[in-house]
C-alpha cells in the first residue's frame, strides 16, 4: 500500500471493498488480527483500530469468543450527487450564463488553502463563479482545485464551460462527500446573489478525492427562494446508493 492515507484507513478501505464486492459476504468470518496484520504488513494494533472503526460504522460485528463477522448489506439513505447547474437550467427551459468573478492561483498565505488538506508547497487553484438563469443569480460557486490533479484548470474559460463538466472529463474521483445546510449569507454573497439580509441560503459543501488525495473542495450557495434539492431514489440493500435530483423553485 503506497497512498498517503494512514495505514489503518487503507486497511479499512480494503476490507470495505471486499464487503462491497461480496468477496466477503454477509456472515463471513473475518480473518484474525494476526492474519490481517501479516497480509497488510501492519501491527495488530493498527489492524485492531481498522476493525474497531468498521464495527462502529455498522459494517462488522464482533462476537466475544467467536470472532468478527460481516454484517452484510443494510438500508441506507441516498447520497446527493450534485448535477451540473447549466444542464439543470437548460432542462427547465431557462438560459444559463456565468460570470467569472475570480480565477487564479491562491497565495501561500491565503486562508482558502485550508479548504484542501495539502502541503504548503502544493499549488491550489481557486475560482469564484456566479451562475444565472435568464439573468437572475441562482448559484454562487467557490471551487478550490488541487493543481496536481487538474493542471490545465486555469486555462479554461468557465464562461463557456462549467467546471463541473470539465473536471468530470479531465479528472478521476473515487470518493465524494456532500454536506447541505442552511446559512445566512454575508454581505458580499448577498450582493452577488441580489438578496437582502433576511433571505436564508442553501449551502452545499462538496469535497472529492482520488484514492485519498484531495481533488476539489467546492461550496455552492443558492438563494433559498430560488432553489431546492430533491432526492428521489429506490430503496436498495447497498450500503451506498448515489443518486440525486435537483430542482429550482420558480
Amino acid at each position: 500500500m503506497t497512498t498517503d492515507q494512514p495505514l489503518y484507513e487503507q486497511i479499512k478501505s480494503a476490507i470495505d471493498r471486499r464487503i462491497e464486492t461480496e468477496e466477503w459476504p454477509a456472515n463471513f468470518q473475518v480473518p484474525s488480527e494476526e492474519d490481517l496484520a501479516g497480509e497488510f504488513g501492519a501491527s495488530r494494533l493498527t489492524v485492531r483500530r481498522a476493525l474497531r472503526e468498521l464495527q462502529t460504522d455498522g459494517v462488522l460485528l464482533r462476537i466475544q469468543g467467536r470472532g468478527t463477522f460481516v454484517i452484510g448489506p443494510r438500508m441506507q439513505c441516498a447520497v446527493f450527487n450534485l448535477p451540473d447547474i447549466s444542464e439543470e437550467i437548460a432542462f427547465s427551459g431557462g438560459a444559463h450564463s456565468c460570470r467569472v468573478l475570480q480565477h487564479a492561483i491562491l497565495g501561500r498565505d491565503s486562508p482558502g488553502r485550508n479548504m484542501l488538506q495539502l502541503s504548503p508547497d502544493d499549488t491550489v487553484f481557486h475560482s469564484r463563479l456566479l451562475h444565472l438563469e435568464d439573468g437572475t443569480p441562482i448559484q454562487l460557486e467557490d471551487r478550490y482545485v488541487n493543481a496536481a490533479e487538474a493542471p490545465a484548470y486555469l486555462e479554461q474559460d468557465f464562461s463557456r464551460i462549467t467546471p463541473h463538466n470539465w473536471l468530470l472529463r479531465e479528472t478521476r474521483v473515487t470518493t465524494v462527500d456532500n454536506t447541505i445546510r442552511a446559512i445566512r449569507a454575508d454581505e458580499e454573497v448577498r450582493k452577488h446573489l441580489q438578496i437582502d439580509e433576511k433571505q436564508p441560503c442553501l449551502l452545499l459543501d462538496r469535497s472529492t478525492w482520488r484514492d485519498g488525495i484531495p481533488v476539489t473542495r467546492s461550496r455552492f450557495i443558492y438563494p433559498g427562494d430560488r432553489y431546492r434539492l430533491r432526492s428521489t431514489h429506490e430503496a436498495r440493500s447497498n450500503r451506498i446508493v448515489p443518486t440525486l435530483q435537483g430542482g429550482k423553485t420558480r
Side-chain angles (χ1 to χ4, degrees), residues 164-199:
H164 176 100
N165 279 333
W166 187 82
L167 288 164
L168 192 65
R169 185 180 69 233
E170 300 294 330
T171 63
R172 186 172 75 89
V173 168
T174 56
T175 306
V176 180
D177 179 81
N178 292 315
T179 301
I180 304 169
R181 61 189 176 93
I183 64 168
R184 291 287 183 182
D186 62 28
E187 184 177 358
E188 184 178 5
V189 171
R190 294 198 302 268
K191 180 180 178 181
H192 288 310
L193 294 177
Q194 299 176 11
I195 59 176
D196 61 37
E197 60 184 8
K198 297 180 181 179
Q199 174 67 50

Side-chain angles (χ1 to χ4, degrees), residues 3-113:
T3 74
D4 294 333
Q5 284 183 303
L7 185 53
Y8 80 91
E9 288 281 4
Q10 297 177 49
I11 295 171
K12 278 183 61 180
S13 296
I15 292 174
D16 214 26
R17 281 194 296 273
R18 293 176 186 180
I19 296 170
E20 289 288 349
T21 59
E22 297 189 353
E23 178 184 346
W24 289 3
N27 302 316
F28 175 84
Q29 183 167 5
V30 175
S32 69
E33 292 179 1
E34 183 177 0
D35 288 343
L36 290 173
E39 176 184 350
F40 292 109
S43 69
R44 290 185 63 176
L45 285 176
T46 299
V47 169
R48 188 173 302 157
R49 178 174 179 179
L51 295 178
R52 186 171 62 246
E53 292 199 4
L54 287 167
Q55 292 170 44
T56 301
D57 292 343
V59 177
L60 300 178
L61 174 66
R62 181 174 179 80
I63 302 176
Q64 187 68 32
R66 292 186 54 192
T68 301
F69 298 84
V70 175
I71 292 178
R74 60 188 173 86
M75 192 67 69
Q76 187 152 309
C77 295
V79 178
F80 282 105
N81 178 24
L82 184 70
D84 181 66
I85 188 68
S86 66
E87 295 173 1
E88 277 195 271
I89 291 173
F91 181 78
S92 67
H96 171 261
S97 59
C98 177
R99 297 175 191 164
V100 180
L101 307 177
Q102 295 178 28
H103 193 49
I105 298 175
L106 283 182
R108 289 177 64 92
D109 298 328
S110 172
R113 290 185 57 87

Side-chain angles (χ1 to χ4, degrees), residues 194-246:
Q194 299 176 11
I195 59 176
D196 61 37
E197 60 184 8
K198 297 180 181 179
Q199 174 67 50
C201 292
L202 184 67
L203 168 65
L204 193 151
D205 193 335
R206 160 177 276 202
S207 297
T208 64
W209 295 267
R210 177 185 61 80
D211 299 327
I213 299 170
V215 179
T216 65
R217 173 79 179 274
S218 307
R219 290 167 60 86
F220 306 94
I221 301 178
Y222 307 84
D225 63 345
R226 300 176 199 159
Y227 198 86
R228 71 178 184 273
L229 287 172
R230 184 183 68 247
S231 173
T232 303
H233 63 281
E234 294 181 358
R236 301 179 182 178
S237 60
N238 297 30
R239 286 189 296 111
I240 300 178
V241 186
T243 166
L244 162 91
Q245 290 187 1

